[in-house]
């Protein structure tokens, strides 16, 4: 397969914070040669409580930044931004943009599940994007979307991080399990970080982490477009945040090993 200069350009990933690193970690297992730029929009965290207009503005700014750096594709490693901003910005850029929800819904829906639960941020649930996309491919599917309270805060360490917060996870999970879902989609990139809590109440198999499906699709698509970077050399990585680089590195630890502080832009 040919490799050219264009293929060696980085792929941009973005999220409100460390959550998208759970996508990047899986991506890296499949495509170690790719050069990566990751942007954590930490100054605007959490995205889940922002309006559609705000989320569109943030996504435009980040995509403009990535376009200026020179990327060959962008991965929206954030459900909230995919739900609220992707449709509004997708036609403005000359490179492929991969949104997590729209990319994964088809692969999930075709499994003929009858009942699907979705935990996501308030903004994602408000958009109804998971239900809309799943029903496109399976009109009989029943979907229950629940906006989880402060789970992002727990992962980012901005909440109280006490027993009461963890009890709250139990109640929300119970409400979802009462719906008797075949599977529960973790529709926010931060939530796989809470798996240790979830498995106290149900089996790990109950959960779908869309990131797994997502990265397989991206690999497939880049391959079809002849855009993979086939060098057999580990790709380079550059990390950027909009504030608080030390906290970002600290929160990132569970899923990704950052060996230097991200650049603040
Ligand atoms: N990680 C993002 C998602 O997948 C949003 C987290 C936040 O609220 O900032 O939805």
């Amino acid at each position: 397969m040919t490799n050219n200069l264009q293929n060696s350009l980085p792929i941009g990933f973005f999220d409100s914070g460390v959550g998208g690193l759970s996508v990047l970690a899986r991506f890296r297992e499949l495509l170690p040669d790719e050069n990566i730029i990751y942007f954590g929009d930490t100054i605007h965290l959490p995205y889940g409580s922002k309006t559609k207009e705000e989320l569109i503005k943030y996504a435009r700014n980040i995509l403009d930044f990535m376009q200026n750096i020179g990327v060959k594709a962008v991965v929206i490693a954030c459900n909230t931004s995919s739900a609220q901003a992707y449709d509004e910005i997708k036609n403005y850029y000359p490179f492929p943009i991969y949104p997590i929800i729209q990319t994964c819904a088809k692969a999930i829906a075709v499994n003929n599940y009858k009942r699907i639960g979705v935990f996501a941020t308030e903004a994602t649930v408000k958009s109804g994007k998971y239900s809309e996309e799943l029903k496109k491919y399976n009109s009989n599917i029943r979907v229950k979307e629940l906006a989880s309270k402060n789970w992002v805060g727990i992962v980012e360490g901005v909440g109280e991080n006490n027993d009461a917060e963890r009890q709250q996870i139990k109640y929300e999970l119970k409400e979802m399990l009462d719906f008797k879902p075949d599977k529960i989609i973790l529709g926010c990139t931060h939530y796989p970080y809470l798996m240790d809590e979830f498995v106290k109440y149900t089996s790990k198999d109950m959960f779908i982490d869309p990131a797994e499906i997502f990265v397989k699709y991206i690999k497939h698509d880049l391959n079809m477009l002849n855009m993979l970077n086939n060098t057999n050399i580990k790709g380079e990585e550059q990390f950027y945040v909009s504030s608080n680089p030390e906290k970002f590195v600290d929160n990132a630890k569970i899923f990704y090993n950052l060996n230097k502080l991200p650049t603040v832009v």
Side-chain angles (χ1 to χ4, degrees):
M1 186 170 297
T2 56
N3 203 36
N4 57 38
L5 207 56
Q6 182 73 14
N7 292 359
S8 68
L9 291 177
I11 299 177
F13 280 68
F14 79 89
D15 179 45
S16 59
V18 295
L21 294 174
S22 62
V23 179
L24 180 58
R26 293 192 180 280
F27 184 86
R28 269 282 172 243
E29 288 164 15
L30 286 188
L31 293 170
D33 299 1
E34 295 298 330
N35 295 310
I36 302 293
I37 284 180
Y38 184 99
F39 186 91
D41 194 8
T42 44
I43 204 165
H44 297 126
L45 185 85
Y47 272 8
S49 57
K50 300 297 185 297
T51 63
K52 187 174 186 68
E53 289 65 37
E54 287 170 319
L55 291 161
I56 293 169
K57 190 172 85 191
Y58 304 154
R60 285 295 314 248
N61 286 342
I62 296 166
L63 278 148
D64 288 350
F65 168 74
M66 292 194 170
Q67 185 171 24
N68 285 338
I69 288 187
V71 292
K72 65 178 179 184
V74 168
V75 175
I76 308 186
C78 172
N79 292 265
T80 308
S81 186
S82 300
Q84 295 280 7
Y86 171 69
D87 286 342
E88 316 298 329
I89 51 124
K90 63 184 177 194
N91 296 324
Y92 290 103
Y93 299 90
F95 39 75
I97 303 174
Y98 299 101
I100 185 164
I101 300 178
Q102 293 85 339
T103 307
C104 298
K106 183 175 181 185
I108 296 171
V110 295
N111 284 311
N112 278 329
Y113 297 126
K114 297 200 166 43
R115 301 167 82 83
I116 286 281
V118 181
F119 277 122
T121 65
E122 200 186 324
T124 300
V125 170
K126 208 182 271 172
S127 76
K129 204 46 137 187
Y130 263 106
S131 303
E132 181 189 323
E133 292 292 321
L134 289 165
K135 285 178 186 194
K136 257 190 208 168
Y137 307 103
N138 177 354
S139 54
N140 296 322
I141 203 164
R142 288 195 56 196
V143 185
K144 180 180 174 81
E145 296 192 52
L146 270 185
S148 26
K149 294 206 182 55
N150 198 31
W151 290 8
V152 171
I154 297 173
V155 174
E156 296 271 346
V158 294
E160 305 284 315
N161 205 7
N162 57 19
D163 283 350
E165 276 188 339
R166 295 192 181 264
Q167 277 293 102
Q168 186 63 34
I169 296 177
K170 177 177 166 183
Y171 294 132
E172 291 170 69
L173 192 52
K174 182 175 180 321
E175 183 182 345
M176 184 59 91
L177 291 170
D178 286 346
F179 171 67
K180 304 249 176 298
D182 299 316
K183 293 281 175 191
I184 299 171
I185 298 175
L186 297 176
C188 170
T189 50
H190 287 59
Y191 298 171
Y193 290 67
L194 296 170
M195 190 56 85
D196 286 352
E197 282 299 310
F198 300 149
V199 295
K200 290 181 188 164
Y201 312 109
T202 186
S203 89
K204 192 168 181 219
D205 286 353
M206 173 57 83
F207 299 97
I208 296 176
D209 176 0
E212 284 176 38
I213 302 163
F214 192 32
V215 296
K216 277 189 201 145
Y217 177 83
I218 297 168
K219 179 177 178 183
H220 166 80
D221 201 57
L222 289 174
N223 189 28
M224 296 295 283
L225 297 168
N226 198 18
M227 284 173 68
L228 289 176
N229 194 34
N230 293 305
T231 55
N232 289 325
I233 301 167
K234 189 179 179 321
E236 285 171 21
E237 300 181 338
Q238 278 176 307
F239 292 88
Y240 297 89
V241 290
S242 43
S243 72
N244 226 337
E246 291 85 6
K247 185 124 206 285
F248 181 86
V249 172
D250 206 39
N251 287 336
K253 269 192 207 126
I254 332 170
F255 269 122
Y256 215 82
N257 196 9
L258 301 183
N259 45 22
K260 61 173 191 192
L261 278 183
T263 309
V264 183
V265 287

